[in-house]
Structures are given as C-alpha cells and as structure tokens.
Coordinates of all heavy atoms in Angstrom, one line a residue:
V122 N -75.5 -380.8 214.8 CA -74.3 -380.2 215.2 C -74.5 -379.6 216.5 O -75.5 -378.9 216.7 CB -73.8 -379.2 214.1 CG1 -72.5 -378.5 214.6 CG2 -73.6 -379.9 212.8
K123 N -73.6 -379.8 217.5 CA -73.8 -379.2 218.8 C -72.6 -378.5 219.2 O -71.5 -378.7 218.7 CB -74.0 -380.3 219.8 CG -75.3 -381.1 219.6 CD -75.6 -382.1 220.7 CE -76.9 -382.8 220.4 NZ -77.3 -383.7 221.5
G124 N -72.8 -377.5 220.2 CA -71.6 -376.8 220.7 C -72.0 -376.0 222.0 O -73.2 -375.9 222.3
V125 N -71.0 -375.6 222.6 CA -71.1 -374.9 223.9 C -71.3 -373.4 223.6 O -70.7 -372.8 222.7 CB -69.9 -375.1 224.8 CG1 -70.0 -374.3 226.1 CG2 -69.7 -376.6 225.1
I126 N -72.2 -372.7 224.4 CA -72.5 -371.3 224.3 C -72.4 -370.6 225.6 O -72.5 -371.3 226.7 CB -73.8 -371.0 223.6 CG1 -75.0 -371.5 224.5 CG2 -73.9 -371.5 222.2 CD1 -76.4 -371.1 224.0
R127 N -72.2 -369.3 225.6 CA -72.3 -368.5 226.8 C -73.3 -367.4 226.5 O -73.1 -366.6 225.6 CB -71.0 -367.9 227.2 CG -71.1 -367.1 228.5 CD -69.9 -367.0 229.4 NE -69.2 -368.2 229.7 CZ -69.4 -369.0 230.7 NH1 -70.3 -368.7 231.6 NH2 -68.6 -370.1 230.9
I128 N -74.4 -367.4 227.2 CA -75.5 -366.5 227.0 C -75.1 -365.1 227.7 O -74.9 -365.1 228.9 CB -76.8 -367.0 227.5 CG1 -77.1 -368.3 226.9 CG2 -77.9 -365.9 227.4 CD1 -78.4 -368.7 226.5
R129 N -75.0 -364.1 226.8 CA -74.5 -362.8 227.3 C -75.7 -361.9 227.7 O -75.5 -361.1 228.6 CB -73.7 -362.1 226.2 CG -72.5 -362.9 225.8 CD -71.6 -363.2 227.0 NE -70.4 -363.9 226.5 CZ -69.4 -364.1 227.3 NH1 -69.4 -363.7 228.5 NH2 -68.3 -364.8 226.8
D130 N -76.8 -362.0 227.0 CA -78.0 -361.3 227.4 C -79.2 -362.0 226.9 O -79.1 -362.7 225.9 CB -78.0 -359.8 227.1 CG -77.9 -359.4 225.6 OD1 -78.7 -360.0 224.9 OD2 -77.1 -358.6 225.3
I131 N -80.3 -361.7 227.5 CA -81.6 -362.4 227.2 C -82.7 -361.4 227.3 O -82.8 -360.6 228.1 CB -81.8 -363.7 228.1 CG1 -82.9 -364.5 227.6 CG2 -81.9 -363.3 229.5 CD1 -82.9 -365.9 228.2
S132 N -83.7 -361.6 226.4 CA -84.9 -360.8 226.4 C -86.1 -361.7 226.1 O -85.9 -362.9 225.8 CB -84.8 -359.6 225.4 OG -85.0 -360.0 224.1
Q133 N -87.3 -361.1 226.0 CA -88.5 -361.9 225.7 C -88.4 -362.4 224.3 O -89.0 -363.4 224.0 CB -89.7 -361.0 225.9 CG -91.0 -361.7 225.8 CD -92.2 -360.7 226.1 OE1 -92.0 -359.7 226.6 NE2 -93.4 -361.2 225.7
S134 N -87.7 -361.6 223.4 CA -87.7 -362.0 222.0 C -86.5 -362.8 221.5 O -86.5 -363.3 220.4 CB -87.9 -360.7 221.1 OG -86.8 -359.8 221.4
G135 N -85.4 -362.9 222.4 CA -84.3 -363.6 221.9 C -83.1 -363.5 222.9 O -83.2 -363.0 224.0
V136 N -81.9 -364.0 222.4 CA -80.7 -364.0 223.2 C -79.5 -363.5 222.4 O -79.6 -363.6 221.1 CB -80.4 -365.4 223.8 CG1 -81.4 -365.8 224.8 CG2 -80.2 -366.4 222.7
R137 N -78.5 -363.1 223.0 CA -77.2 -362.9 222.4 C -76.2 -363.8 223.1 O -76.2 -363.8 224.4 CB -76.8 -361.4 222.6 CG -75.4 -361.1 221.8 CD -75.1 -359.6 221.9 NE -75.0 -359.1 223.2 CZ -73.9 -358.9 223.9 NH1 -72.7 -359.3 223.3 NH2 -73.8 -358.5 225.1
F138 N -75.5 -364.6 222.4 CA -74.6 -365.6 223.0 C -73.3 -365.6 222.2 O -73.2 -365.2 221.1 CB -75.2 -367.0 223.1 CG -75.6 -367.7 221.8 CD1 -74.6 -368.4 221.2 CD2 -76.8 -367.6 221.3 CE1 -74.9 -369.1 220.0 CE2 -77.2 -368.3 220.1 CZ -76.2 -369.0 219.5
S139 N -72.3 -366.1 222.9 CA -71.0 -366.3 222.2 C -70.7 -367.8 222.1 O -71.2 -368.6 222.9 CB -69.9 -365.6 223.0 OG -69.8 -366.1 224.3
V140 N -69.9 -368.1 221.1 CA -69.4 -369.4 220.9 C -67.8 -369.4 220.9 O -67.3 -368.3 220.8 CB -69.9 -370.0 219.5 CG1 -71.4 -370.3 219.6 CG2 -69.6 -369.1 218.4
N141 N -67.2 -370.5 221.0 CA -65.7 -370.5 221.2 C -65.0 -370.3 219.9 O -63.8 -369.9 219.9 CB -65.3 -371.9 221.7 CG -65.7 -372.0 223.2 OD1 -65.9 -371.1 223.9 ND2 -65.9 -373.3 223.6
S142 N -65.6 -370.5 218.7 CA -65.0 -370.3 217.4 C -66.0 -369.7 216.4 O -67.2 -369.6 216.7 CB -64.4 -371.6 216.9 OG -65.4 -372.5 216.7
I143 N -65.6 -369.4 215.3 CA -66.5 -368.9 214.2 C -67.5 -370.0 213.9 O -67.1 -371.1 213.7 CB -65.7 -368.5 212.9 CG1 -64.6 -367.5 213.3 CG2 -66.7 -368.0 211.9 CD1 -65.2 -366.2 213.8
P144 N -68.8 -369.7 214.0 CA -69.8 -370.7 213.9 C -69.9 -371.3 212.4 O -69.6 -370.6 211.5 CB -71.1 -370.0 214.3 CG -70.8 -368.6 214.0 CD -69.3 -368.4 214.3
E145 N -70.4 -372.5 212.4 CA -70.6 -373.2 211.1 C -72.0 -372.8 210.5 O -72.2 -372.9 209.3 CB -70.5 -374.7 211.2 CG -69.2 -375.2 211.6 CD -69.2 -376.7 211.8 OE1 -70.0 -377.4 211.2 OE2 -68.4 -377.1 212.7
F146 N -72.9 -372.4 211.4 CA -74.2 -372.0 210.9 C -74.2 -370.6 210.4 O -73.3 -369.9 210.5 CB -75.3 -372.2 212.1 CG -74.9 -371.6 213.4 CD1 -75.1 -370.2 213.6 CD2 -74.4 -372.3 214.4 CE1 -74.7 -369.6 214.8 CE2 -74.0 -371.8 215.6 CZ -74.2 -370.4 215.8
A147 N -75.4 -370.2 209.7 CA -75.5 -368.9 209.1 C -76.7 -368.2 209.5 O -77.6 -368.8 210.1 CB -75.5 -369.2 207.6
V148 N -76.8 -366.9 209.2 CA -78.0 -366.2 209.4 C -79.2 -366.9 208.7 O -79.0 -367.3 207.6 CB -77.8 -364.7 208.9 CG1 -79.2 -364.0 209.0 CG2 -76.8 -364.0 209.7
G149 N -80.3 -367.0 209.4 CA -81.4 -367.7 208.9 C -81.6 -369.2 209.3 O -82.6 -369.8 209.2
D150 N -80.5 -369.8 209.8 CA -80.5 -371.1 210.3 C -81.3 -371.2 211.6 O -81.4 -370.3 212.4 CB -79.1 -371.7 210.6 CG -78.4 -372.0 209.3 OD1 -79.0 -372.1 208.2 OD2 -77.2 -372.3 209.4
K151 N -82.0 -372.4 211.7 CA -82.8 -372.7 212.9 C -81.9 -373.4 214.0 O -81.3 -374.4 213.6 CB -84.0 -373.5 212.6 CG -85.0 -372.8 211.7 CD -86.1 -373.8 211.3 CE -87.0 -373.1 210.3 NZ -88.1 -373.9 209.8
L152 N -81.9 -372.9 215.2 CA -81.1 -373.5 216.3 C -82.0 -373.8 217.4 O -83.0 -373.2 217.6 CB -80.0 -372.5 216.8 CG -78.7 -372.5 216.2 CD1 -78.7 -372.1 214.7 CD2 -77.7 -371.6 216.9
T153 N -81.6 -374.8 218.2 CA -82.2 -375.0 219.5 C -81.1 -374.7 220.6 O -80.0 -375.2 220.4 CB -82.7 -376.5 219.6 OG1 -83.7 -376.7 218.7 CG2 -83.3 -376.8 221.0
I154 N -81.5 -374.0 221.6 CA -80.5 -373.7 222.7 C -81.1 -374.2 224.0 O -82.3 -374.3 224.2 CB -80.2 -372.2 222.8 CG1 -81.4 -371.4 223.1 CG2 -79.4 -371.7 221.6 CD1 -81.1 -369.9 223.5

C-alpha cells in the first residue's frame, strides 16, 4: 500500500509526517518512507 506524505520534522531517531487522510496502517506497523 502506498501513499503521499509531507515530512513535518525529522531527527536522528525518526520523523513526523502527515498524510492526506486517516491512515489504514496502525501503531506497530512497519513502513518504508
């Protein structure tokens, strides 16, 4: 499953990003960005 994101902030340990709608994935899911 793929989608567009906008990265709002980034650090050495992770990112905070937004998606256009409520995501289908859940906490604990593995993503590739």
Side-chain angles (χ1 to χ4, degrees):
V122 175
K123 296 183 178 190
V125 176
I126 62 174
R127 179 150 317 263
I128 305 221
R129 302 301 182 170
D130 63 49
I131 189 166
S132 76
Q133 187 176 348
S134 58
V136 296
R137 183 173 60 98
F138 64 87
S139 60
V140 291
N141 291 334
S142 60
I143 303 299
E145 298 176 29
F146 49 81
V148 171
D150 284 347
K151 296 176 185 177
L152 268 65
T153 298
I154 60 170

